[in-house]
Amino acid sequence: MLTTLNTSYTDTRAADLAWALGREPLPALATLDLELADAKLQLRLLGASHQVLVEEEHGSCSETVACIPGSRTPLPLGVAKRVGDWEYEFAARVEVLSPGSFAGRAQELLALVADHPNGLAGVFPGSPHAFTALLAHRHDGFVHWRTWHAYPQDGQLVATRTRVGLRVPAAV
């Protein structure tokens, strides 16, 4: 699903993004509710940021990547932790692209997410390459999602990937 976000694009930077696990739902500009096997997901666009809420029989989890006032947790390159009975893995990278490469990559990602039944993308008015996009799927008992946060004024594209699911007991 592709939507134009009803808000102005503010010149935030990739470096302003912070990561948080377990936050309460924040006000969203657009949402997409999904059911992937026995997992319920809500993909949420929060302007130039995202929040994903996951709920399963064994618990719930929320991930927020946003410009969070007062946050002391910058966007990490990677996180692996246990959340109750779940394993949670997160990775992020920042790509720096030339203006031409950025425009092409933005069009490619928006086309991928816009037509995908498990995708949500929001474009900001006034800048066709300023967007936030999320894409989710389920594989091998885990819920996976990828996100992209575009900052065309700096030629930066923040890409994240997350995997969450029931912890597999160690073999004895």
Side-chain angles (χ1 to χ4, degrees):
M1 179 173 91
L2 179 63
T3 185
T4 298
L5 299 173
N6 190 17
T7 188
S8 62
Y9 182 71
T10 56
D11 289 337
T12 57
R13 303 174 307 134
D16 292 337
L17 286 176
W19 167 86
L21 192 59
R23 287 187 70 109
E24 292 296 318
L26 297 171
L29 298 172
T31 63
L32 178 64
D33 292 313
L34 301 172
E35 288 196 31
L36 302 177
D38 58 347
K40 292 181 181 180
L41 269 79
Q42 186 176 67
L43 306 180
R44 303 169 58 83
L45 295 177
L46 313 174
S49 50
H50 81 265
Q51 188 173 51
V52 177
L53 309 176
V54 183
E55 189 177 320
E56 278 189 327
E57 174 186 345
H58 300 284
S60 61
C61 176
S62 75
E63 170 188 281
T64 306
V65 172
C67 300
I68 303 169
S71 176
R72 298 203 191 295
T73 308
L75 191 64
L77 294 177
V79 173
K81 52 189 325 181
R82 291 184 176 172
V83 179
D85 290 337
W86 290 2
E87 291 180 5
Y88 171 88
E89 295 177 5
F90 172 86
R93 74 177 189 285
V94 178
E95 297 177 44
V96 179
L97 304 165
S98 69
S101 294
F102 190 94
R105 183 80 170 124
Q107 289 173 344
E108 174 185 283
L109 289 169
L110 287 171
L112 170 73
V113 175
D115 294 331
H116 197 286
N118 299 340
L120 175 63
V123 177
F124 292 90
S127 181
H129 302 131
F131 68 91
T132 301
L134 299 94
L135 185 60
H137 72 280
R138 187 161 182 105
H139 180 71
D140 288 339
F142 285 84
V143 176
H144 302 256
W145 60 86
R146 299 193 60 190
T147 73
W148 298 272
H149 304 252
Y151 300 96
Q153 73 278 7
D154 296 326
Q156 293 182 323
L157 183 67
V158 177
T160 74
R161 65 176 172 75
T162 301
R163 181 183 89 134
V164 65
L166 201 55
R167 190 169 59 230
V168 179
V172 179

